[in-house]
Amino acid sequence: MKPVSKKEFIGLVVLVCLLNFLLQIWYVGNAGDFIANYVGYAISVFIIPIFISQLLPCIALSASSKSLALKQKLQLFGIPCFVSVCLVCGFYLVMQYGG
């Protein structure tokens, strides 16, 4: 397999983060409250968004025909997870104090 260039990797991370952001917005706006009624607020607010952020890199890795180095894989999973945690904290602050 060919290794991924730096530009391709940055593009992949940006794409995964953008899709993660859009899925988080959709989840909070449409499905979060419905799911919280069945599985609980903590799981709906913290666990599922982080699961969503880790699902996208898994799909990207399985669909990619190029190989990633270990450091790139860690960044591919870590950066969207960090974005997801920031979004969860931001949504919490908006709902708690701005809402």
Side-chain angles (χ1 to χ4, degrees), residues 23-90:
L23 281 173
Q24 298 291 333
I25 295 293
W26 174 82
Y27 175 75
V28 167
N30 295 322
D33 192 40
F34 177 74
I35 292 174
N37 289 333
Y38 293 102
V39 297
Y41 187 73
I43 292 174
S44 177
V45 170
F46 297 112
I47 304 299
I48 293 177
I50 291 174
F51 174 75
I52 291 171
S53 74
Q54 297 305 298
L55 184 66
L56 293 172
C58 287
I59 293 170
L61 285 176
S62 66
S64 176
S65 62
K66 296 185 177 184
S67 64
L68 290 170
L70 179 63
K71 183 179 177 184
Q72 288 176 326
K73 287 180 184 176
L74 291 174
Q75 289 174 341
L76 184 62
F77 281 94
I79 293 171
C81 187
F82 176 74
V83 168
S84 180
V85 168
C86 289
L87 285 171
V88 165
C89 291

